[in-house]
Amino acid sequence: MHEFKYRKNEFCCEDVEILSLAQKFGTPLYVYSYHTVVDHFVKLKTAFRSINPLICYSVKANSNLAILKTLVSFGAGLDIVSGGELFRAVTVGCPVSKIVYASVGKTSYEIEEAIKRRILFFNVESIPELENINCISKRLNRITQVSIRINPDVEPKTHKYITTGKLTNKFGIDFKSAYQIFLICNKFSNIKISGLHIHIGSQITESVPYVSAITKVIEFVEQLKRKGIVLEYLNIGGGLGIVYDEETPQTAEKFAAKILPLLKKTKLKIIMEPGRFIAGNAGILVTKVLYVKAAVKKKFVIVDAGMNDLIRPALYGAYHQILPIRYTLNAIRSSEKVDIVGPICESADFFAKGRRLLPLKEGDYLAIMGSGAYGFSMTSNYNSRCRACEVMVKKDETFLIRKRDSYEDLIKNEIMI
């Protein structure tokens, strides 16, 4: 569900025509729907209301301050993975008691900053990291809460690059090693192990992998109880899939129906870390057709957005629906197969291959759907291209939430010698 729809042949975000935004702000342009962001968060909160979980939005999915501030104002916590994301979380006023910190490679500086801020806890991914947090906590004379990130070795049935819960992945700690950590936890004098954490992957459209992972973790919790080890939290991560093409992902309600019975058994405080589920379909990337090139074997539609603006197709071979921001019935009846490509000097710079679209001409605009998550947050200045600006639409109001880069921005941190 999202708020991007045609009205009298004009594509709109809530009550605003996309064409007017493209003409006002230029392209490439990210457009977000305020209502969709809020609605997806509320849907998840409502589906799990019987256990009142702490829902920590995954900042890496889309870290724009306006989106973070919106979610925090509705009671969300934040799931962070870097010192920069901690800075963003503090900047938007997220209560530190609602911040959880993951990442396999936290630096000592990042750990120290988070300890000083008194975040809820770190999701610890290795024994050396645990030792480092304990050492820094001792120096700061603090007791730091952590949860152990478990790698449950389950197949999430998603792209191999966004699978995180198999033993071949770099994430988390296997059950046997985690058990040994609990047996020697007294060794870590400045750490309190308060919970367990899992995150098995991203863009997961079925509940089966979650059920499998959570069931394994519950058995582990019972094993710890028999040793007199009692926990407070269970963080089940995120990864809920959305519709990009013909996927049939579970709704928040269906997901809750499958895993709530398991979670209630634990009697632990539950934390969730959704990112894509909230932001994915809340944003689009608007791009302008520069040229239509009829080559020997195919037709290319060259647009002004590139893989530096949205890297998912190049990186994962990801599918994004592409829609014209204006259409006519006659044009749709005369569709043709084209490749939608960008201006970057890489053959991987494409958004669609062999896609059947209405005939396009120079100056037309297209909307690349489902770009709200892992879209702008993965942008770069490759080819010295200026990163796009971002706007948020709230009913009939439009807010510029990030200015487009200038050429001066490209070189502001560089020093000539």
Side-chain angles (χ1 to χ4, degrees):
M1 298 292 292
H2 55 73
E3 290 293 323
F4 296 95
K5 298 171 184 175
Y6 286 105
R7 293 182 182 175
K8 296 181 179 178
N9 298 339
E10 292 288 342
F11 201 48
C12 298
C13 176
E14 300 196 19
D15 297 330
V16 177
E17 291 184 357
I18 300 297
L19 179 60
S20 68
L21 298 178
Q23 291 173 338
K24 179 177 180 180
F25 296 102
T27 55
L29 172 69
Y30 273 95
V31 180
Y32 306 110
S33 160
Y34 173 91
H35 180 265
T36 303
V37 170
V38 172
D39 185 54
H40 288 170
F41 174 74
V42 171
K43 275 184 167 66
L44 204 56
K45 191 173 182 180
T46 301
F48 285 88
R49 63 187 177 278
S50 61
I51 59 171
N52 191 30
L54 172 59
I55 301 177
C56 293
Y57 168 72
S58 183
V59 174
K60 62 182 174 287
N62 188 317
S63 60
N64 187 281
L65 295 181
I67 289 175
L68 301 185
K69 183 69 175 177
T70 295
L71 291 167
V72 167
S73 71
F74 278 83
L78 296 176
D79 157 42
I80 64 171
V81 296
S82 72
E85 289 189 353
L86 175 60
F87 180 75
R88 287 177 178 273
V90 171
T91 299
V92 300
C94 181
V96 290
S97 61
K98 291 184 176 182
I99 297 175
V100 295
Y101 199 149
S103 167
V104 297
K106 309 174 187 77
T107 67
S108 294
Y109 176 79
E110 289 174 320
I111 290 169
E112 182 171 334
E113 285 296 300
I115 291 173
K116 287 179 177 178
R117 293 284 186 181
R118 300 182 186 274
I119 65 168
L120 180 57
F121 53 64
F122 294 97
N123 295 322
V124 172
E125 309 231 14
S126 68
I127 293 175
E129 181 192 340
L130 192 64
E131 292 170 342
N132 196 27
I133 293 172
N134 184 65
C135 180
I136 295 170
S137 299
K138 187 178 292 186
R139 175 164 53 81
L140 296 175
N141 195 29
R142 296 276 177 87
I143 302 296
T144 301
Q145 281 201 132
V146 304
S147 66
I148 302 298
R149 179 169 178 174
I150 298 292
N151 186 320
D153 195 28
V154 298
E155 176 53 63
K157 299 180 182 179
T158 188
H159 192 283
K160 63 181 180 180
Y161 286 179
I162 50 178
T163 294
T164 59
K166 295 286 290 179
L167 289 181
T168 51
N169 301 132
K170 66 180 179 179
F171 302 97
I173 302 171
D174 64 277
F175 284 108
K176 184 177 179 180
S177 299
Y179 185 65
Q180 293 303 314
I181 289 172
F182 279 100
L183 292 183
I184 61 168
C185 63
N186 290 335
K187 170 186 173 184
F188 305 106
S189 58
N190 288 71
I191 279 178
K192 179 184 178 184
I193 304 178
S194 300
L196 299 175
H197 172 236
I198 56 172
H199 179 70
I200 59 175
S202 191
Q203 184 54 13
I204 303 169
T205 57
E206 301 176 9
S207 62
V208 173
Y210 289 102
V211 171
S212 176
I214 293 169
T215 299
K216 286 185 175 184
V217 170
I218 289 174
E219 291 171 356
F220 186 60
V221 169
E222 292 303 313
Q223 182 184 4
L224 294 175
K225 279 183 183 178
R226 290 193 290 271
K227 281 289 183 178
I229 300 167
V230 179
L231 301 174
E232 187 177 358
Y233 295 96
L234 172 58
N235 185 338
I236 64 170
L240 287 175
I242 64 170
V243 177
Y244 285 108
D245 182 16
E246 296 179 350
E247 301 94 339
T248 54
Q250 55 207 328
T251 63
E253 292 79 8
K254 288 182 179 178
F255 179 56
K258 292 289 186 181
I259 69 167
L260 268 177
L262 294 172
L263 298 179
K264 287 178 179 178
K265 283 182 185 178
T266 69
K267 297 187 167 73
L268 298 174
K269 295 178 183 176
I270 303 301
I271 297 174
M272 307 176 73
E273 299 170 340
R276 189 190 313 268
F277 181 84
I278 289 174
N281 282 328
I284 63 171
L285 174 60
V286 184
T287 185
K288 184 179 182 178
V289 175
L290 298 178
Y291 307 103
V292 178
K293 177 181 177 179
V296 175
K297 293 191 175 182
K298 57 171 63 179
K299 181 176 282 190
F300 295 96
V301 174
I302 302 166
V303 297
D304 64 358
M307 62 187 285
N308 73 298
D309 298 300
L310 178 64
I311 200 172
R312 295 189 73 254
L315 188 61
Y316 307 127
Y319 181 99
H320 286 263
Q321 186 180 19
I322 298 177
L323 300 174
I325 65 169
R326 175 180 286 167
Y327 77 89
T328 64
L329 187 58
N330 288 336
I332 289 178
R333 286 173 176 164
S334 58
S335 62
E336 58 185 357
K337 280 189 176 182
V338 296
D339 284 11
I340 307 294
V341 300
I344 300 291
C345 299
E346 301 280 350
S347 293
D349 183 31
F350 68 91
F351 297 112
K353 289 189 174 183
R355 189 75 60 86
R356 188 164 288 282
L357 294 171
L358 59 86
L360 295 166
K361 62 183 185 302
E362 294 177 15
D364 286 345
Y365 291 93
L366 298 171
I368 303 176
M369 304 298 292
S371 301
Y374 307 102
F376 189 90
S377 64
M378 295 179 76
T379 58
S380 75
N381 293 119
Y382 184 47
N383 280 192
S384 287
R385 284 171 51 83
C386 297
R387 281 189 280 191
C389 66
E390 299 173 281
V391 300
M392 180 177 278
V393 175
K394 185 177 182 182
K395 294 183 179 178
D396 60 353
E397 294 184 280
T398 302
F399 303 91
L400 177 65
I401 60 174
R402 188 190 190 277
K403 297 177 182 177
R404 187 180 307 280
D405 282 357
S406 66
Y407 288 148
E408 288 73 22
D409 290 328
L410 295 177
I411 62 171
K412 67 181 178 182
N413 292 322
E414 297 178 27
I415 301 169
M416 289 189 286
I417 59 172

